[in-house]
Amino acid sequence: MSKLIINGPKKLEGEIDLYGAKNAVLPIMAATVLNGGKNVIKNCPSLADVHSTFKILEDLGCTVDYKNRIAIIDSYGINDFCIKENLMREMRSSIIFLGAIIARCRKAVISYPGGCELGPRPIDLHLKAFKQLGVEIEESHGYISCKVDKIKPQNLHLFFPSVGATENIMLLSTISDGETIITNAAKEPEIVDLQNYLNSMGAKITGAGSEIISIKGVKELHDTEHSVMPDRIVASTYICATACCGGEIVLKNANSLHMQSILVLLREAGINAEQSGKNLNISCKKRLTSASAIKTMPYPGFPTDAQAITMSVFSKSIGTTVFVENMFENRFKHVEELIRMGADITVDGRVAVIKGVKNQLGASVNASDLRGGAALVIAGLGALGITEISNIHHIDRGYENIESEFSKLGADIYRISE
Ligand code: EPZ
């Protein structure tokens, strides 16, 4: 197992070229199953979750070539409709393949994705929508078997604006003979990127980014090429690191419109953030003041994926900040580790109260999930002394070479294999 070693604190200075968003490229790679042709995906990040997805695509019979953040996926040769259990377990979000495989093969078999470090990850909204679209579903012995003769376009209402369920409905209903309308759809920017990708293949989808999405079914789809949108959570991670360490960075190809809830919060706390053309200039020259209450919500509310990384920032601010994690049951695992580094945090259920301390101190800590691990990196970069982070495979799921990226900004951080 590898570890990250950080010697802090160091001010951050320099430029970062943002790579494509993990949560956009995963559903986009599922969409490549639909056209039975060639898909050129640019700005495709080299992440563990992306490489897990390549394995699923190859297992289904696709060919995958990947070099210099360009993935070429040809789905002509698909010869299977099952995702093997070990691949499903490797990455919970493989559920996003279900709609695309059913649409291409008229059947699919996957093992139940099960929970993850964040707590239970139910898929009831996905399966309910699939049944309404005419899919027959059998759940037994931990497997979900689906089959359909003909998709029945419908008006579908989501009782919760689930990102994955919205994306799965779009993937399943793109090839059909009628219009499917989703109300109370998730509005995340990654869903707009998926709509743009599907439309570039010949789909007729409108409304992504709003709560009502229309999918006018088409008969077939063609080859395509697409550049993935920049990763707003990775960008937010660099912003939080600068807020924690002080300094001045430029995020190239960052879209501040995707990060308004975080930028407004951190500007009020004392950072400077200016979008100029395609770049976002961030600077922090003083200790931040606390925010009032941060409640995670569906987009455009404060993103749950930015909760942990922002908590590292307010662990060192002046005053008290209250976090409420509304999206996942178990997304405070990083709190114990931040406390080991000197943070003053009290958790009660979904509420965490953070009293800012002047300095955090380096310590040996343990990553237990993707964004919690990133939070420990941020805390370590701004802490006095040495921080050792273990179980960093969680971090590699969503960050490309995190140590070399932060080293470019002047951080003293390196990876050791144990
Ligand atoms: C996506 O997960 C993201 N993952 C998550 O990012 C992100 O935290 C989440 O959206 C919320 O923004 C990807 O896009 C690959 P949801 P997803 O369905 O689709 C409940 C990261 O760190 N729900 O919007 O699984 C669910 O339990 C990851 O990059 C149901 O009840 O999220 C949760 O409480 C972590 N039934 C809430 O909805 C369902 O059928 C949000 O889930 C589906 C979801």
Side-chain angles (χ1 to χ4, degrees), residues 202-355:
K204 290 188 171 53
I205 304 175
T206 53
S210 80
E211 67 276 14
I212 299 177
I213 298 177
S214 158
I215 303 108
K216 289 192 173 73
V218 294
K219 293 253 177 291
E220 59 182 11
L221 299 167
H222 51 70
D223 295 1
T224 191
E225 168 165 331
H226 177 82
S227 187
V228 180
M229 65 171 268
D231 195 314
R232 61 190 169 102
I233 304 299
V234 168
S236 304
T237 305
Y238 289 117
I239 296 169
C240 287
T242 307
C244 220
C245 303
E248 202 155 345
I249 66 168
V250 177
L251 294 176
K252 295 168 73 178
N253 303 314
N255 184 339
S256 58
L257 279 181
H258 292 163
M259 298 179 270
Q260 281 308 299
S261 57
I262 299 156
L263 290 173
V264 166
L265 180 88
L266 292 178
R267 280 191 186 112
E268 282 171 6
I271 73 159
N272 291 309
E274 304 280 326
Q275 180 88 36
S276 78
K278 288 198 163 194
N279 296 344
L280 181 58
N281 302 316
I282 303 292
S283 68
C284 181
K285 304 206 186 318
K286 61 183 179 183
R287 188 179 173 200
L288 300 185
T289 52
S290 69
S292 49
I294 299 172
K295 300 176 184 169
T296 64
M297 306 292 281
Y299 191 88
F302 191 87
T304 174
D305 292 351
Q307 176 256 108
I309 55 177
T310 316
M311 192 180 282
S312 290
V313 174
F314 289 107
S315 298
K316 280 179 64 179
S317 67
I318 301 164
T320 299
T321 304
V322 176
F323 280 81
V324 183
E325 173 51 67
N326 293 308
M327 303 292 279
F328 290 106
E329 253 175 38
N330 195 11
R331 204 165 196 176
F332 282 149
K333 283 188 170 170
H334 46 283
V335 166
E336 279 312 310
E337 305 305 302
L338 290 175
I339 290 170
R340 285 170 62 84
M341 298 176 71
D344 178 348
I345 307 174
T346 313
V347 170
D348 180 359
R350 289 181 177 245
V351 178
V353 180
I354 291 90
K355 287 189 185 123

Side-chain angles (χ1 to χ4, degrees), residues 3 13 30 85 93 106 122 131 143 187 206 238 281 303 382 384 392 406 412:
K3 268 185 181 179
E13 313 270 348
E85 177 149 8
S93 40
R106 291 281 170 268
K131 286 173 185 164
Y143 281 85
K187 298 184 268 191
T206 53
Y238 289 117
N281 302 316
L384 299 177
I392 58 173
F406 274 117
D412 179 353

Side-chain angles (χ1 to χ4, degrees), residues 33 56-62 77-82 97 101:
V33 162
I56 291 173
L57 286 164
E58 287 171 328
D59 211 52
L60 291 170
C62 300
I78 282 199
N79 54 25
D80 198 350
F81 54 87
C82 305
F97 269 93
I101 297 173

Side-chain angles (χ1 to χ4, degrees), residues 22-23 121-125 162-164 305 327 331 371:
K22 168 179 84 80
N23 293 349
R121 301 292 293 273
I123 57 169
D124 57 308
L125 298 174
S162 155
V163 172
D305 292 351
M327 303 292 279
R331 204 165 196 176
R371 307 301 174 185

